[in-house]
């Protein structure tokens, strides 16, 4: 099982997960053409995608799904409550390709386990498991709770949101105060500080690779997120590169991570 982020952030989110029997996309917030281009760049034919799993209805997660599903005849999987917001946005997805889940489900040789996360629309994070191998992707959430921690615990690799630096958010002049409060609220996004607190708990439960994800281009930088979080966990006795490896996802194609 291996995973690679093709794009992460407010400009579009796409993650590719591959097993021996399945090629999956988690979200597709790029155009169909750009997604196909990036898949080809990593040696994956776009018409080999077996399914697209959707976290939620926001455009930076679904922009390319309508055309991609229609062009390559790809099934789209979403929670029944997420489909409520998708029906009018994914009009080209054929009825036979609209797949509903209401809990964990088996897709070929991988167990897909959704966990609801607190966002301003119905939203889910996911774990992908094969035996004792487990990868999790959790972004677009306003806070972390025990249910989420427990759901993604014992993942060897976790893509975890570190959306914003709180000082940058509130000192910035581009966003109105109402938007700043929404981002910083319990159904918004994770700050670097809260992400660091979550990482400490996850390392205690087996995480050895964290990829900081969904960074805001207005209220964070890769360097700031990495330095803040590694310093914070370092002060609490967790050494980056020894106890856990931390990378940062971006809008560019990332690195493959493989579990053997």
């Amino acid at each position: 099982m291996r995973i690679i982020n093709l794009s992460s952030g407010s400009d579009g989110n796409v993650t590719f997960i591959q097993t021996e029997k399945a090629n999956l996309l988690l979200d597709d917030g790029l155009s169909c053409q750009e997604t196909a281009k990036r898949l080809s760049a990593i040696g994956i034919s776009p018409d080999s995608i077996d399914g697209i799993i959707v976290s939620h209805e926001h455009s930076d997660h679904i922009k390319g799904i309508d055309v991609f599903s229609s062009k390559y005849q790809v099934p789209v999987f979403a929670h029944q409550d997420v489909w409520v917001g998708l029906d009018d946005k994914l009009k080209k997805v054929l009825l036979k390709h609209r797949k509903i889940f209401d809990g964990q489900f088996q897709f070929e040789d991988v167990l897909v386990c959704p966990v609801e996360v607190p966002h301003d629309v119905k939203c889910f994070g996911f774990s992908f498991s094969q035996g004792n191998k487990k990868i999790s992707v959790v972004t677009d959430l306003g806070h972390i709770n025990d249910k989420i921690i427990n759901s993604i615990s014992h993942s060897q690799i976790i893509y975890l949101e570190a959306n914003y630096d709180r000082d940058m958010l509130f000192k910035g002049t581009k966003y109105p105060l109402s938007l700043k409060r929404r981002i910083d609220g319990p159904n918004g996004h994770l700050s670097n500080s809260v992400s660091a607190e979550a990482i400490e708990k996850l390392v205690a439960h087996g995480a050895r690779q964290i990829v900081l994800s969904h960074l805001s281009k207005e209220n964070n930088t890769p360097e700031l997120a990495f330095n803040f979080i590694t310093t914070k966990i370092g002060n609490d006795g967790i050494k980056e590169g020894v106890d856990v490896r931390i990378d940062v996802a971006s809008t560019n194609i990332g690195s493959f991570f493989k579990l053997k």
Side-chain angles (χ1 to χ4, degrees):
M1 184 163 56
R2 63 178 186 160
I3 185 169
I4 185 171
N5 194 262
L6 300 182
S7 180
S8 180
S10 54
D11 288 339
N13 298 273
V14 191
T15 304
F16 172 72
I17 301 104
Q18 184 178 55
T19 69
E20 290 183 358
K21 296 182 179 180
N23 288 336
L24 294 170
L25 292 181
L26 174 56
D27 292 332
D28 184 6
L30 301 176
S31 69
C32 174
Q33 181 179 16
E34 184 62 25
T35 300
K37 177 182 176 182
R38 295 191 182 204
L39 285 168
S40 297
I42 62 171
I44 303 298
S45 174
D47 59 12
S48 74
I49 298 300
D50 299 302
I52 303 172
I53 300 172
V54 185
S55 64
H56 66 295
E57 66 181 78
H58 285 161
S59 62
D60 58 324
H61 293 259
I62 68 166
K63 178 181 177 181
I65 292 177
D66 219 16
V67 176
F68 195 98
S69 173
S70 176
K71 182 174 182 178
Y72 297 108
Q73 296 298 292
V74 181
V76 177
F77 295 79
H79 188 273
Q80 57 184 3
D81 294 335
V82 173
W83 270 115
V84 173
L86 292 178
D87 276 333
D88 291 338
K89 298 177 180 179
L90 301 183
K91 295 182 178 180
K92 294 182 180 180
V93 178
L94 298 178
L95 183 61
K96 68 178 181 179
H97 288 151
R98 295 175 177 235
K99 307 297 183 180
I100 297 172
F101 63 80
D102 189 24
Q104 69 181 34
F105 62 98
Q106 189 76 30
F107 189 94
E108 297 292 349
D109 57 345
V110 62
L111 180 65
V112 182
C113 298
V115 58
E116 187 171 356
V117 297
H119 201 37
D120 52 8
V121 296
K122 187 68 73 170
C123 186
F124 290 83
F126 296 89
S127 293
F128 302 87
S129 302
Q130 287 183 315
N132 62 356
K133 296 180 291 186
K134 184 176 179 180
I135 294 170
S136 295
V137 182
V138 183
T139 65
D140 296 78
L141 66 168
H143 65 274
I144 287 277
N145 56 42
D146 289 342
K147 181 180 179 180
I148 298 169
I149 292 291
N150 292 336
S151 178
I152 64 177
S153 287
H154 308 295
S155 300
Q156 292 93 336
I157 301 170
I158 301 174
Y159 287 72
L160 180 68
E161 181 168 74
N163 181 258
Y164 66 98
D165 173 79
R166 205 162 187 271
D167 285 342
M168 283 187 69
L169 174 66
F170 282 100
K171 291 179 180 178
T173 58
K174 184 173 181 178
Y175 290 179
L177 182 59
S178 59
L179 178 56
K180 293 178 180 182
R181 286 175 172 167
R182 185 186 75 79
I183 292 170
D184 192 51
N187 296 315
H189 290 278
L190 283 195
S191 67
N192 291 340
S193 179
V194 176
S195 185
E197 293 172 3
I199 288 170
E200 292 182 8
K201 295 178 181 179
L202 293 168
V203 170
H205 288 86
R208 292 297 175 262
Q209 173 71 60
I210 302 289
V211 183
L212 306 179
S213 303
H214 210 292
L215 273 67
S216 167
K217 64 181 180 181
E218 302 293 340
N219 303 306
N220 211 353
T221 68
E223 296 78 15
L224 177 57
F226 179 85
N227 290 334
F228 181 96
I229 288 172
T230 56
T231 298
K232 173 67 168 60
I233 65 174
N235 290 340
D236 293 327
I238 299 173
K239 188 174 182 180
E240 195 281 328
V242 176
D243 302 304
V244 64
R245 175 70 185 272
I246 294 180
D247 289 272
V248 185
S250 73
T251 54
N252 298 317
I253 297 174
S255 301
F256 262 118
F257 295 99
K258 184 176 182 180
L259 292 180
K260 298 181 179 180

